[in-house]
Amino acid sequence: MHTQFNSLNKSTRESRKAAHEICRLFNKSPSKGNLKRITGLFANSGSGVIIEAGFHCDYGSQIQIGDRTFININCTVLDAPINEGAISIGDDCLIGPNVQLLAVSHAINPTERLNKENFAAPITIGNNVWIGAGVIVLAGVSIGDNAVVGAGSIVTKDVAANTVVAGNPAIKLKDI
């Protein structure tokens, strides 16, 4: 179930602009102070979180990251300023380079799309999950504990715990 929200009204534009500026500063200079500014946007950021340069989020206020999670270079997180646009990443996760977590989308119907409304659905990533390089995770997807998502995959449906998935769309390859 996707929930509609307006990303073009004044308050959401201002929130997004502020978050983008914090991301820009971090990416220009990925210092501990600028990392603290980024994690300060989040609803929660655990201890030992590492985020490499190239990180981008739209708002940050609905992002939760568990302890000891590593986010590699050029991660894009399209979150929304509403609960349905939340992105939750568990403890001990490995997020590869160029991963996209896209909790936001647009209407398929061209008439509805003219309204410029966005749709959001949460993304939930369990504990000890490895998401390979270049993976795209779409809105409304949950990835279970200990799962592995192969590089270059597009995850359109939930991934069970203790499984390996890969492909476009990602399909189960095996249990682990």
Side-chain angles (χ1 to χ4, degrees):
M1 178 74 178
H2 291 74
T3 300
Q4 203 169 348
F5 78 101
N6 185 333
S7 66
L8 298 178
N9 70 37
K10 186 177 180 179
S11 66
T12 55
R13 280 194 338 261
E14 288 173 357
S15 294
R16 198 169 53 251
K17 184 178 177 183
H20 288 182
E21 180 61 13
I22 290 170
C23 290
R24 187 190 69 74
L25 290 171
F26 172 74
N27 295 326
K28 184 177 177 182
S29 175
S31 65
K32 285 184 182 180
N34 284 332
L35 174 61
K36 190 172 183 177
R37 286 179 187 86
I38 282 186
T39 58
L41 291 171
F42 301 162
N44 182 55
S45 181
S47 65
V49 169
I50 297 172
I51 300 174
E52 296 290 344
F55 180 83
H56 175 83
C57 69
D58 267 353
Y59 302 95
S61 61
Q62 298 296 319
I63 296 173
Q64 298 182 42
I65 301 177
D67 296 335
R68 301 169 304 280
T69 286
F70 175 81
I71 298 175
N72 213 324
I73 59 170
N74 300 324
C75 182
T76 299
V77 180
L78 294 188
D79 56 321
I82 57 174
N83 288 338
E84 292 78 4
I87 295 178
S88 176
I89 302 170
D91 297 335
D92 301 302
C93 291
L94 300 171
I95 310 293
N98 302 307
V99 167
Q100 298 176 52
L101 304 176
L102 309 176
V104 177
S105 188
H106 303 283
I108 299 294
N109 179 300
T111 304
E112 292 177 10
R113 201 168 45 248
L114 288 173
N115 294 330
K116 306 292 190 252
E117 292 288 322
N118 294 65
F119 293 87
I123 294 173
T124 303
I125 299 169
N127 296 317
N128 197 31
V129 171
W130 175 20
I131 298 178
V135 168
I136 298 171
V137 179
L138 298 182
V141 167
S142 291
I143 300 174
D145 293 347
N146 305 312
V148 175
V149 180
S153 297
I154 299 180
V155 185
T156 61
K157 296 181 180 174
D158 290 352
V159 174
N162 303 301
T163 60
V164 176
V165 302
N168 177 9
I171 59 169
K172 180 179 171 182
L173 300 179
K174 65 181 179 178
D175 292 316
I176 50 175

